[in-house]
C-alpha cells in the first residue's frame, strides 16, 4: 500500500496505512480522526451481487481526491483528508473506498469525512461494474461536474454544515 | 491533428476498446470529437447529455479547443465510492 | 484488547479490534463503516498538556455505552456501534476513545458514530484529569442525566438528523 | 443500614478516598447520603446542583430509597471522550 494520501490501487485497502499518511501530512493539532469505509454489499436493488469490478481514470481520480481535499481546507481550515480507492475486482465485504479525516475538533473531522465521500461520488472518474447473479451492469450515478456549485452545496448539506 | 481518445465503463464497451485514435481538423473542440464518436458508435449518442469531458487528464468543457497530440477522455456518469 | 463491543481499558486502543467486534455483532448487511478516534492534544485552553489521566466508574460506563447503542438501534434500525474508552494515563497523540459504527448505508453510519460520541460526552461516567505545565485539573463537563430528553435531542441535532 | 459510597474525580480528591462506608437510617435516600457527605466534607456542597447519583451501578434519582448493603456512587459532571 502506498503511503500517498490520495491513491487508486488494486491492493486491499488499509485504514491504518491511510491514517498514518494523513497524520504525517497534517500540520496542526489533531484531536479527532474520523474514517469512512465503503464495503461491497451482497445485494443491490434486489440483485444478488457476486463482486464489483471498479474502473478508474486514474490520474484524474487522484487529482479529484486532491481537489476535494483543497475544498475541505477552505471549508474547514485545519482539517485534512486522505482517500484510497480500489480498482479491479472487489469482493463482497471488502472495502472499495477508505477515507480518513483529521482535525483539531470532532465537528470538522466528521464534516470533512462526510463531505469527502459525497464529493467522491459526485466527481471522481470511477465506475462500478456490478457482477450479479444472472449478468453484469455498469452502475451510472452522477454526471461529473467538478465546478457545479449546486453539487457542492448538496455535499455540504449532507456534511451537516 | 491527431488525438487519443480514452473511453471508460459503458462507453468503452460500446467502442469495444479503451482507447481510440482520431484525426480531427484544427480548432476542433471536445464536442467535435464526441460527434465523431457518436457517428461511429450510435449507441453512444444517448450519453450526449450526461457525458463529461477531460483533456490531458483535467476536466474540460466540451467547447474547449484541443491541440495536436492531446489525450481526450469521455466519462459517463460516475459511480465511485 | 478485549473483543467486547463496549469496554473501558488501560490498553492502547485498536480500531482494528473494535471494528472486528462490531462487524461480528452486526446482523444485517454492512455497506458503510465509520469511526471516530479522540486523540489527546498537546494544548487545551492555552495550557501545555503533559498527559491526561482518565478515571471511570467502569461497570456504569460499559452499561452507558450499551445504552447508547440501544438508543442508536431505535433511531437508526440496522446500525450498530462499538465503544472502547481508555482509563489511566493517556499520552499526547494517543486515542482516549474509539467508536465504530456500521450500517447498510453511509448516512446512518455517520449519524450513529457522531451521536455516539455526543452521548458518551453527556452520560458516560468518565473523568479527565488533565496534567499540564504547572499543575493538574479535573475537567468537568456535563451533568450526567441519561433520561434528559433535551440532551438526547441535542445529540441528534449534532448527528444531523 | 450500611452503605458503601463510591466517589470519583474531584469528589474523590475532596474526600481523600475513592470509597467510604456510612451508616444511614432506614428509608434513607441518595439525597440523605449526599447530605451526610456534604456535612463531613463541606467542599462537596457546591456540587449539589451538578452531581448525579447511582445505586448499584445504575443511574438513580436522588430521591430513590436505598437498601442495606447498596453501593451508592456520586458522579461529578462527566468529561469522557
Amino acid at each position: 500500500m502506498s503511503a500517498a494520501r490520495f491513491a487508486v490501487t488494486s491492493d486491499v485497502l488499509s485504514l491504518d496505512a491511510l491514517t498514518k499518511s494523513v497524520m504525517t501530512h497534517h500540520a496542526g493539532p489533531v484531536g479527532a480522526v474520523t474514517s469512512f469505509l465503503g464495503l461491497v454489499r451482497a445485494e443491490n436493488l434486489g440483485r444478488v451481487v457476486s463482486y464489483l469490478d471498479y474502473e478508474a481514470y486514474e490520474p484524474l481520480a487522484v487529482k479529484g481526491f486532491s481537489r476535494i481535499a483543497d475544498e475541505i481546507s477552505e471549508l474547514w481550515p485545519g482539517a485534512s483528508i486522505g482517500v484510497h480507492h480500489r480498482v479491479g475486482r472487489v469482493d463482497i465485504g471488502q472495502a472499495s473506498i477508505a477515507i480518513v479525516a483529521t482535525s483539531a475538533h470532532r465537528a470538522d473531522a466528521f464534516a470533512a469525512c462526510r463531505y469527502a465521500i459525497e464529493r467522491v461520488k459526485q466527481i471522481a472518474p470511477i465506475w462500478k461494474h456490478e457482477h450479479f447473479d444472472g449478468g453484469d451492469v455498469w452502475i451510472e450515478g452522477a454526471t461529473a461536474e467538478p465546478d457545479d456549485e449546486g453539487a457542492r452545496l448538496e455535499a455540504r448539506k449532507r456534511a451537516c454544515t | 491533428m491527431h488525438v487519443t481518445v480514452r473511453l471508460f465503463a459503458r462507453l468503452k464497451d460500446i467502442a469495444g476498446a479503451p482507447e481510440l485514435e482520431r484525426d480531427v481538423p484544427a480548432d476542433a473542440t471536445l464536442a467535435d470529437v464526441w460527434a465523431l464518436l457518436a457517428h461511429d458508435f450510435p449507441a453512444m449518442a444517448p450519453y450526449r447529455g450526461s457525458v463529461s469531458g477531460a483533456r490531458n487528464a483535467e476536466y474540460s468543457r466540451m467547447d474547449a479547443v484541443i491541440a495536436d497530440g492531446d489525450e481526450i477522455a469521455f466519462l459517463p456518469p460516475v459511480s465511485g465510492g
Side-chain angles (χ1 to χ4, degrees), chain A, chain B:
Chain A
M1 187 79 239
S2 159
R5 274 201 302 148
F6 310 116
V8 167
T9 173
S10 54
D11 295 339
V12 167
L13 301 183
S14 158
L15 203 51
D16 208 45
L18 179 57
T19 302
K20 280 198 183 81
S21 79
V22 178
M23 294 291 280
T24 302
H25 165 267
H26 193 106
V30 177
V33 184
T34 55
S35 76
F36 172 76
L37 290 174
L39 307 190
V40 177
R41 283 177 300 121
E43 183 272 337
N44 185 35
L45 305 172
R47 299 187 291 259
V48 178
V49 177
S50 313
Y51 63 92
L52 298 181
D53 209 334
Y54 280 92
E55 180 170 304
Y57 186 19
E58 181 170 336
L60 187 51
V62 171
K63 281 181 202 165
F65 299 159
S66 175
R67 177 198 181 103
I68 293 167
D70 291 344
E71 290 175 5
I72 283 168
S73 293
E74 273 191 35
L75 290 168
W76 302 286
S80 300
I81 63 154
V83 182
H84 287 178
H85 200 298
R86 286 283 293 275
V87 282
R89 177 178 171 140
V90 187
D91 288 315
I92 307 299
Q94 286 194 324
S96 54
I97 184 168
I99 299 175
V100 167
T102 54
S103 188
H105 300 285
R106 68 188 181 283
D108 288 3
F110 273 105
C113 194
R114 180 73 197 270
Y115 181 86
I117 178 62
E118 299 302 325
R119 289 296 278 158
V120 164
K121 285 176 174 282
Q122 288 175 348
I123 69 165
I126 302 175
W127 298 270
K128 196 180 284 185
H129 196 183
E130 182 186 302
H131 294 257
F132 61 89
D133 224 12
D136 64 272
V137 61
W138 282 102
I139 309 294
E140 295 182 347
T143 294
E145 292 184 74
D147 293 322
D148 177 24
E149 198 52 47
R152 272 209 286 251
L153 279 173
E154 177 62 26
R156 285 185 63 171
K157 204 178 126 201
R158 293 195 176 187
C160 201
T161 62
Chain B
M1 298 198 306
H2 188 81
V3 294
T4 301
V5 182
R6 296 196 57 178
L7 297 168
F8 297 90
R10 264 291 284 158
L11 298 182
K12 179 189 68 177
D13 286 358
I14 291 170
E19 205 170 301
L20 303 171
E21 304 292 324
R22 284 292 182 276
D23 289 309
V24 295
D27 295 329
T29 62
L30 271 75
D32 295 330
V33 180
W34 175 257
L36 278 182
L37 295 187
H39 175 265
D40 293 348
F41 307 102
M44 285 191 192
Y47 281 91
R48 196 207 155 116
S50 61
V51 79
S52 302
R55 184 176 162 240
N56 299 327
E58 295 284 1
Y59 278 107
S60 168
R61 293 168 53 106
M62 294 292 271
D63 61 6
V65 173
I66 62 189
D68 186 44
D70 276 356
E71 174 179 288
I72 303 302
F74 292 112
L75 319 169
V78 299
S79 56

